[in-house]
């Protein structure tokens, strides 16, 4: 049996991929899924302005792995809507979260394309990319940005920033590692066969 | 009015809205601006009594707007947890502890006066925000959100995207309940599963859910392509007709409400920034508790 890793991001000879309406629709659908998962997470185990269980980050990371920049756009739009529905953050705070949410999404997509990871998590390298970039690095940046925003808006005590950072990181990372791994392992084979799967950033 | 008719509810993707409500007399853009204002104003109000007044007004709006208050029950555990966590955070990480105003000690930890008051103010802010959000989504359907966005000049592609996203959230929830019912019909009972078992089981929902979503995405794309939909919102260079906006026209009363909401919001912001009237130190509750504990 061949165990040689296949670069799923490489275009086949003569293959042409262009962004189109289907990508736009998929981005909207993915945003909708993110809204549901994000709202559920915000209401599940809230710790003030952060939640101890936010699987929404899995949608952000997986979205950018599957759908590139379209998933990246969805990753910062759906938290604005889910925060509004759950009331977990005022609109100005949600808008200020955008860079952090974008990081929580796009870093995974970048890493998998840059280092030729397989979204089906077939090898140890794929798992390392997923856990290292999609979960740990992206959540460190996201939690760092988010807790700083909360401090800027005076919503947390300055001394509590580290605690909020840790709470945010763990709340996102644990839930997203579980959900993200399941999504990538079981759904990637289906997604990769669709025309909306992006080998590049836009198509 | 017949109570059954009065209590008639309409299903939305997010929950339920009343069949009849005084809020429907206002144009969606007025309702959206009210929501934005109630989402911004708490950030400028530290005074607990004013926050409580704000909460009372929103609760009155719930009743006036004929919204079923039972809907708030699902938020009760969240509000209790948040209250406990915020207080604990400020006990463990007090602010202005150098002032030495310790109210009492709890399990060897000093409960700082200013921290406690600030935790209370923050907690009231969160309650206000949650109630404002629940109120908005309990009195607006998706189409109202879209009409409001289009009225304020949001590009067609953005409002179309939001519309599709909200619709997709509804589709996702519907598919989820169909799959769950199908599993229950086959005798599955998740109540006795361990937490890990529930997590594993939840994962098993994902495959059919996403497969359905992908298929629907393809169907919608094909449908839009077949209809010749242009995301620019124009047909042959001419702006396409907007049925919803033509049905919901903004009136002079709506304009008056809009001006009042904007003026009120700006006034509160200016007062908060330029005076100490809305600060926690200016609070009657703050001063009374301070006097009680520290004379």
């Amino acid at each position: 049996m061949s165990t040689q890793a296949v670069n799923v991001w490489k275009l086949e000879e003569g293959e042409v991929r262009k962004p189109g309406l289907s990508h736009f629709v998929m981005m909207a659908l993915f945003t909708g899924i993110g809204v549901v998962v994000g709202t559920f997470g915000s209401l599940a185990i809230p710790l003030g302005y952060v939640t101890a269980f936010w699987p929404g980050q899995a949608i952000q990371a997986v979205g950018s792995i599957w759908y590139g920049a379209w998933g990246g756009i969805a990753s910062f739009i759906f938290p604005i809507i889910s925060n509004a529905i759950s009331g977990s953050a005022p609109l100005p705070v949600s808008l200020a979260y955008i860079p952090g949410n974008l990081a929580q999404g796009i870093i995974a997509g970048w890493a998998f394309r840059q280092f030729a990871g397989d979204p089906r998590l077939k090898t140890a390298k794929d798992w390392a990319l997923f856990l290292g970039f999609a979960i740990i690095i992206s959540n460190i940046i996201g939690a760092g940005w988010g807790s700083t925003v909360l401090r800027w808006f005076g919503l947390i005590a300055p001394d509590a920033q580290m605690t909020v950072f840790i709470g945010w990181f763990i709340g996102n990372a644990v839930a997203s590692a579980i959900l993200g791994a399941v999504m990538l392992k079981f759904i990637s084979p289906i997604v990769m066969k669709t025309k909306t799967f992006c080998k590049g950033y836009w198509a | 009015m017949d109570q059954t008719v009065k209590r008639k509810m309409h299903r939305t993707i997010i929950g339920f809205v009343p069949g009849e409500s005084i809020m429907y007399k206002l144009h969606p853009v007025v309702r959206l601006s009210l929501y934005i204002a109630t989402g911004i104003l708490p950030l400028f109000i530290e005074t607990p009594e004013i926050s409580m007044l704000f909460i009372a007004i929103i609760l009155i709006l719930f009743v006036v707007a004929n919204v079923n208050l039972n809907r708030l029950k699902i938020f009760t555990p969240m509000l209790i947890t948040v209250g406990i966590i915020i207080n604990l955070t400020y006990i463990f990480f007090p602010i202005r502890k150098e002032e030495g105003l310790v109210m009492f000690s709890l399990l060897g930890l000093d409960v700082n006066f200013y921290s406690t008051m600030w935790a209370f103010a923050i907690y009231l802010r969160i309650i206000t925000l949650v109630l404002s959000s629940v109120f908005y989504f309990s009195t607006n359907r998706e189409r109202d959100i879209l009409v409001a966005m289009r009225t304020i000049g949001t590009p067609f592609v953005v409002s179309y995207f939001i519309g599709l996203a909200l619709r997709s959230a509804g589709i996702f929830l519907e598919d989820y309940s169909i799959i769950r019912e199908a599993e229950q019909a086959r005798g599955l009972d998740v109540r006795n599963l361990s937490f890990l078992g529930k997590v594993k089981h939840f994962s098993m929902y994902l495959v059919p859910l996403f497969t359905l979503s992908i298929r629907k995405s393809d169907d919608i794309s094909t449908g839009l392509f077949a209809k010749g939909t242009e995301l620019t919102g124009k047909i042959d260079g001419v702006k396409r007709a907007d049925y919803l906006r033509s049905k919901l026209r903004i009136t002079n009363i709506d304009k008056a409400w809009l001006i009042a909401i904007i003026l009120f919001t700006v006034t509160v912001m200016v007062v908060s920034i330029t005076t100490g009237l809305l600060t926690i130190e200016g609070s009657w509750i703050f001063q009374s508790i301070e006097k009680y504990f520290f004379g």
Side-chain angles (χ1 to χ4, degrees):
Chain A
M1 187 175 75
S2 169
T3 54
Q4 198 180 356
V6 180
N7 186 354
V8 298
W9 309 105
K10 200 178 163 193
L11 290 175
E12 301 294 326
E13 203 178 322
E15 184 181 6
V16 178
R17 298 178 87 95
K18 282 184 181 174
L21 196 59
S22 55
H23 290 103
F24 178 82
V25 172
M26 198 63 225
M27 175 174 73
L29 256 75
F30 220 73
T31 303
I33 293 167
V35 168
V36 175
V37 177
T39 307
F40 164 72
S42 296
L43 294 173
I45 315 170
L47 307 176
Y49 285 102
V50 297
T51 170
F53 183 82
W54 202 70
Q57 198 266 326
I59 303 291
Q60 293 175 318
V62 172
S64 82
I65 293 172
W66 288 342
Y67 303 116
W70 301 99
I73 296 170
S75 75
F76 70 80
I77 292 179
F78 84 73
I80 299 174
I81 304 173
S82 64
N83 285 344
I85 294 171
S86 64
S88 56
L91 192 60
V93 176
S94 281
L95 294 175
Y97 281 157
I98 285 175
N101 279 317
L102 182 63
Q104 284 180 182
I106 206 74
I107 286 172
W110 170 82
F112 269 73
R113 282 167 182 77
Q114 190 70 21
F115 303 112
D118 191 321
R120 292 165 292 188
L121 303 180
K122 288 194 160 180
T123 63
K125 184 183 98 174
D126 305 330
W127 278 98
L129 283 174
F130 170 64
L131 293 172
F133 285 93
I135 302 297
I136 296 173
I137 294 176
S138 59
N139 277 314
I140 285 174
I141 296 172
W145 180 265
S147 56
T148 307
V149 165
L150 289 172
R151 191 180 162 173
W152 281 341
F153 278 87
L155 297 172
I156 56 168
D159 289 350
Q161 191 180 351
M162 183 49 81
T163 313
V164 170
F165 168 82
I166 294 168
W168 186 308
F169 176 79
I170 295 173
N172 276 12
V174 174
S176 302
I178 299 167
L179 182 64
V182 172
M183 285 172 74
L184 288 175
K185 192 86 189 145
F186 296 108
I187 309 169
S188 289
I190 304 165
V191 172
M192 287 167 68
K193 287 179 193 157
T194 63
K195 63 178 177 182
T196 45
F197 177 71
C198 293
K199 288 189 175 179
Y201 284 98
W202 293 105
Chain B
M1 188 192 298
D2 179 10
Q3 284 300 306
T4 316
V5 175
K6 200 181 171 193
R7 277 277 166 227
K8 193 179 163 194
M9 307 292 276
H10 290 300
R11 184 93 175 89
T12 69
I13 50 163
I14 297 152
F16 289 93
V17 294
E20 288 177 23
S21 171
I22 198 164
M23 290 303 287
Y24 300 157
K25 290 184 178 166
L26 296 173
H27 189 276
V29 82
V30 179
R31 288 180 248 160
L32 181 68
S33 61
L34 182 67
Y35 169 63
I36 292 172
T38 52
I40 291 174
L41 285 176
L43 291 176
F44 291 86
I45 300 169
E46 290 176 6
T47 324
E49 51 267 39
I50 296 181
S51 293
M52 285 193 269
L53 179 67
F54 210 112
I55 291 167
I57 291 170
I58 297 172
L59 288 173
I60 291 168
L61 279 174
F62 267 91
V63 177
V64 172
N66 199 23
V67 177
N68 188 354
L69 285 171
N70 282 335
R71 181 159 153 65
L72 294 178
K73 277 183 188 168
I74 59 164
F75 293 92
T76 312
M78 175 202 175
L79 292 176
I80 293 170
T81 324
V82 167
I84 294 168
I85 297 289
I86 287 178
N87 274 295
L88 285 177
T89 311
Y90 279 88
I91 288 173
F92 282 105
F93 303 100
I95 48 175
R96 286 171 55 171
K97 60 183 173 190
E98 64 281 359
E99 290 175 11
L101 298 178
V102 177
M103 291 162 74
F104 53 88
S105 287
L106 187 73
L107 302 170
L109 285 166
D110 289 340
V111 178
N112 184 286
F113 166 68
Y114 191 81
S115 281
T116 308
M117 289 309 298
W118 188 244
F120 184 48
I122 292 281
Y123 181 55
L124 290 176
R125 253 182 204 175
I126 293 180
I127 295 179
T128 315
L129 292 169
V130 170
L131 290 180
S132 318
S133 292
V134 177
F135 180 72
Y136 180 71
F137 289 102
S138 299
T139 49
N140 287 274
R141 282 178 267 191
E142 309 89 85
R143 69 169 197 181
D144 298 323
I145 299 168
L146 298 181
V147 170
M149 290 181 75
R150 287 176 192 170
T151 307
I152 58 172
T154 309
F156 179 80
V157 64
V158 176
S159 66
Y160 201 83
F161 169 74
I162 299 291
L164 266 179
L166 291 173
R167 178 61 55 204
S168 134
I171 292 170
F172 188 75
L173 283 171
E174 270 174 30
D175 288 343
Y176 176 71
S177 66
I178 290 168
I179 295 167
R180 202 175 55 175
E181 279 172 20
E183 293 205 330
Q184 282 170 349
R186 283 153 61 195
L188 181 83
D189 187 359
V190 292
R191 280 175 300 183
N192 297 326
L193 289 177
S194 64
F195 176 72
L196 202 64
K198 280 180 183 164
V199 171
K200 272 186 187 170
H201 183 75
F202 179 71
S203 316
M204 292 305 115
Y205 282 128
L206 290 173
V207 179
L209 266 175
F210 273 87
T211 314
L212 285 170
S213 284
I214 291 163
R215 192 186 297 165
K216 276 173 184 156
S217 159
D218 279 345
D219 290 347
I220 294 170
S221 307
T222 311
L224 291 177
F225 181 75
K227 281 167 68 185
T229 304
E230 290 283 341
L231 293 176
T232 54
K234 290 179 179 171
I235 299 169
D236 295 332
V238 181
K239 199 174 176 185
R240 62 181 258 177
D242 192 330
Y243 174 73
L244 285 178
R245 274 190 71 189
S246 69
K247 290 281 283 181
L248 295 161
R249 293 210 178 272
I250 199 158
T251 64
N252 286 335
I253 295 170
D254 292 320
K255 285 175 188 167
W257 272 109
L258 266 178
I259 292 167
I261 290 167
I262 293 167
L263 278 179
F264 181 74
T265 308
V266 172
T267 307
V268 172
M269 286 162 75
V270 170
V271 167
S272 172
I273 293 165
T274 58
T275 73
L277 286 172
L278 300 175
T279 59
I280 199 162
E281 290 87 351
S283 153
W284 170 80
I285 296 174
F286 180 95
Q287 289 166 3
S288 301
I289 296 175
E290 188 178 34
K291 198 174 174 185
Y292 176 80
F293 276 97
F294 309 106

